[in-house]
Amino acid sequence: MVRRLLSIWFPRLASDASLRNRPVEGPFALTHRSGNADHLHCLNPAAERRGVHRGMPLADARAICPDLSTRPADLARETVALASLRRWASRYAPMVASDGTDGLMADITGVAHLFGGEGELRADLHARLERAGLSVRSAIAGTRGAAHALARHGGGIIADGDLAAGISRLPVSALRIDHATAEALARVGLSQMCDLLAQPRAPLARRFGQGLVLRLDQLLGHQPEPVAAGAEPPHFGVRMTLPEPIGLQSDVMAGLSRLLDRLCATLALHHHGARRLRLELRRVDHGTAQVEIGLARPMRDPARIAALFAKGVDEIDSGFGIDAMRLSAPITEPMPPEQIGSGPTLRHEDALADLISRLGNRIGFDRVLRMQPADSKIPERSFQLVAAAWSEPVAAPPRHGPARPLTLFPPEPVSHASGHPPAQFRWRRMRFTTLRAQGPERITPEWWFDDPTWRSGLRDYWRIETREGPRLWLFHTPQAPDWPAPEGAQNWCVQGEFV
C-alpha cells in the first residue's frame, strides 16, 4: 500500500484562538516579551495587510499601524489548542502527531477513500476548520518532508510517482533546515529544490553538513520518518446522566459517591492522586452549578473526599432539579501505592491533611501556614512560613549551642538595668530580679542583608531566669553605645521568652 501523509498548518493559530473568544475588529496581534521589548508573536490578516509582520518590535508596529489592537500571548493556551486540534484531527487518520508548534501530521494511508478521495478529504478538513474560525493550509504527499514543505508554500496534493516534480519549485528553506544553511545555499545559487536535487551528495555533505543530506533523503523517502503520535495523557473525569431530576442534598451526595468511586479507581490505575476536584451539576433549565475543592495532599479515598464536598453541595441552588453530574480532577500528582495497614483507623498525617483541606477550602490555602527551619543564625530569620498544603513538614536540625526560646517577638528595651548581665531590670512596667544567667551567645549580623534592626552590630544573648518566674532571652549590643534606647536601658533588650 502506497504511503500517504497529510500535513495541516495553522499559520495564525494563536491569534485565531484568541479572537474566537474575544473578537476584535481591525488589525490585531498577540505580543510576546523577548529581552527588554515586546515583539509581535501572531497577527491577523488585517494587521498583515497594514505592513506589520511576526517578530517586529511592538513600538515599530505601532508606528506603522497606530490602531493595532494587542494582547499578551499565552503560550500554554496555544499548546493546549494544538493538542485539542490533534485529538479532533483523529477523525481523518488513526495516527496524528504534532508538527512543530503550529502544525499537525496525519498518516492517511488507506483512509482517503472513506471521504471520496484525497481532494474531498482536504475540502472537508478546510470547510470544518474555516467554520471554526481557524486559518489552515494543508498538503498531501508521499513523505513527511514533502507534505510539510508543500503545506507551508501553497498547499496541494502531490500524486504518487510525481514527488520530484511536485517539489521542484519549492524554495530550499522548505527543507526544515536552519536559516544560516538556507542563506548559504542561496549564495551559491541553490535557491530552489530542483537546483539542490541535481547536485551530488558528497560535496553537499562536505560543505553544508550531514543535516542537509538527511533532510533531502527524508524529503525523497530514502530515509524513513514515521508519524509517531504521542501518548494521550490520562483524563480524570467521569459523568452521570440522571433519569429523573434530583434536588435534595442527600441525592446529590449519593450521586457524587458513585462518581468518586469511579474516579478514584481511575486515579489508582494510573498511580495518581487528586489535588483539586471539580463537581459540575447541570440543571433542567440548562443552568449549571459548580463546587470545587482543593486537597492538602494527593488523595484518592472516596469517603474522605466526599466529606469535603458536603458544605459546598449544601449551598447549591438546584433550581427545578439537576439532571446531570460531572466530576473531574483538573490537578493531579503522582501517588504510588503504599502500605497503610489493615486497620480502619485514620493515620495522623491523613487526619492532618484533612484538617488543612477543610481550613484551606474555607479561608484559602495561602492562609494555612506552617513553620520550617531556615539556614540562618539570626533568630528572626531562623524559620520561614510556607503554605502547609504545598510543603512537607521538616524536622528542625539538631542544635549544638544554647537553647532558643519558642516565643520570639521584636526587641523590647528594658530599663533600670544594673550589672552585666543585669541583676535587676524593668520590662513591661514590671521589675525583675535575676536568679540565674547563662551566656553569652554572640551572634554577628549577616552582612549580605541590610536589616535596619541589626545595624547596631553584634549581639550577646543571655538566658535569664528571674525570681518572679519568667525566663527571658535578653541581648546586649556592645558595639553600639549610642544605640537608641530608653534612659537607663544600657543597650539591653528582651527578644524572647522560654516556656
Side-chain angles (χ1 to χ4, degrees):
M1 184 176 292
V2 179
R3 189 180 185 214
R4 305 295 286 170
L5 296 172
L6 167 66
S7 176
I8 309 171
W9 181 44
F10 304 96
R12 290 181 286 271
L13 175 62
S15 60
D16 288 345
S18 179
L19 290 173
R20 285 189 67 192
N21 298 328
R22 295 166 56 194
V24 171
E25 296 293 336
F28 170 80
L30 294 175
T31 62
H32 180 64
R33 191 161 190 84
S34 177
N36 294 325
D38 290 329
H39 294 75
L40 300 189
H41 173 69
C42 190
L43 49 157
N44 67 348
E48 292 178 349
R49 289 192 294 267
R50 298 289 292 273
V52 298
H53 56 81
R54 283 194 180 197
M56 175 183 287
L58 179 59
D60 297 344
R62 290 202 181 279
I64 298 174
C65 181
D67 58 340
L68 179 67
S69 301
T70 61
R71 293 176 195 159
D74 190 340
L75 302 184
R77 179 170 293 183
E78 185 177 345
T79 303
V80 171
L82 185 64
S84 300
L85 287 169
R86 181 170 67 87
R87 289 192 295 269
W88 174 84
S90 62
R91 63 178 285 118
Y92 297 102
M95 297 291 291
V96 183
S98 298
D99 189 17
T101 59
D102 56 0
L104 300 173
M105 187 67 63
D107 190 341
I108 60 170
T109 304
V111 175
H113 70 279
L114 300 175
F115 297 86
E118 294 178 349
E120 288 74 11
L121 186 149
R122 286 185 67 234
D124 182 76
L125 171 75
H126 283 247
R128 292 178 182 274
L129 290 174
E130 287 171 2
R131 283 199 301 269
L134 298 176
S135 302
V136 61
R137 295 180 187 173
S138 67
I140 299 177
T143 65
R144 182 169 182 168
H148 174 95
L150 187 60
R152 285 152 179 79
H153 294 85
I157 300 176
I158 300 178
D160 183 33
D162 296 336
L163 183 60
I167 63 173
S168 61
R169 296 302 176 185
L170 296 180
V172 293
S173 58
L175 265 177
R176 295 175 293 170
I177 55 179
D178 59 89
H179 183 67
T181 303
E183 284 190 340
L185 288 169
R187 282 196 298 269
V188 298
L190 304 176
S191 58
Q192 292 184 336
M193 291 290 189
C194 57
D195 304 326
L196 194 60
L197 295 177
Q199 302 300 318
R201 298 299 181 86
L204 288 176
R206 284 196 302 269
R207 184 163 184 176
F208 302 102
Q210 290 291 337
L212 175 62
V213 177
L214 175 62
R215 288 303 190 190
L216 274 174
D217 289 340
Q218 290 174 341
L219 179 75
L220 298 174
H222 303 325
Q223 282 284 349
E225 195 175 6
V227 176
E232 288 286 346
H235 173 66
F236 300 113
V238 290
R239 65 178 62 198
M240 175 190 300
T241 302
L242 304 171
E244 294 290 340
I246 61 175
L248 297 177
Q249 181 198 19
S250 58
D251 295 336
V252 176
M253 292 301 294
L256 174 64
S257 179
R258 294 188 181 184
L259 293 175
L260 278 172
D261 290 339
R262 292 162 51 193
L263 179 63
C264 291
T266 305
L267 289 168
L269 182 64
H270 293 88
H271 295 172
H272 271 65
R275 287 300 299 266
R276 185 165 292 276
L277 290 158
R278 182 182 300 125
L279 175 64
E280 300 174 41
L281 305 174
R282 189 186 68 189
R283 297 194 293 259
V284 294
D285 59 357
H286 300 291
T288 59
Q290 181 175 297
V291 181
E292 188 166 336
I293 65 168
L295 301 174
R297 58 180 298 184
M299 190 187 305
R300 54 172 180 257
D301 187 336
R304 292 166 56 199
I305 295 175
L308 299 174
F309 270 106
K311 181 178 182 296
V313 170
D314 187 43
E315 297 173 352
I316 285 179
D317 179 13
S318 59
F320 295 103
I322 296 168
D323 60 0
M325 304 173 61
R326 184 177 184 272
L327 179 67
S328 60
I331 301 178
T332 63
E333 289 183 7
M335 184 180 178
E338 59 180 351
Q339 181 65 39
I340 60 175
S342 58
T345 58
L346 195 64
R347 297 180 301 170
H348 170 71
E349 55 268 29
D350 292 338
L352 179 60
D354 290 351
L355 175 62
I356 296 174
S357 298
R358 290 180 182 276
L359 294 174
N361 285 304
R362 287 176 178 266
I363 64 175
F365 283 94
D366 56 337
R367 291 186 173 92
V368 184
L369 308 175
R370 67 159 49 101
M371 297 176 63
Q372 287 188 345
D375 187 15
S376 177
K377 299 295 184 182
I378 303 300
E380 53 267 36
R381 286 202 288 267
S382 62
F383 64 92
Q384 57 183 346
L385 294 175
V386 297
W390 314 112
S391 62
E392 294 292 334
V394 178
R399 280 191 54 81
H400 303 288
R404 293 279 181 89
L406 293 180
T407 303
L408 287 176
F409 41 79
E412 299 179 2
V414 303
S415 61
H416 301 88
S418 60
H420 190 93
Q424 292 183 343
F425 58 92
R426 292 183 63 86
W427 173 61
R428 292 183 178 178
R429 300 182 181 180
M430 294 182 290
R431 179 174 295 277
F432 294 92
T433 302
T434 301
L435 188 62
R436 279 183 291 271
Q438 297 179 5
E441 177 190 1
R442 176 159 290 184
I443 299 178
T444 304
E446 296 172 338
W447 56 267
W448 53 93
F449 289 117
D450 184 16
D451 190 345
T453 61
W454 279 80
R455 290 175 182 171
S456 57
L458 60 86
R459 298 177 180 178
D460 289 337
Y461 281 87
W462 291 80
R463 179 174 177 171
I464 304 294
E465 297 186 25
T466 64
R467 189 180 301 275
E468 289 75 14
R471 296 184 296 168
L472 305 176
W473 207 37
L474 276 69
F475 70 82
H476 178 248
T477 53
Q479 290 183 333
D482 298 329
W483 186 57
E487 185 178 355
Q490 299 180 0
N491 298 351
W492 284 94
C493 287
V494 180
Q495 194 178 356
E497 185 173 1
F498 294 90
V499 295

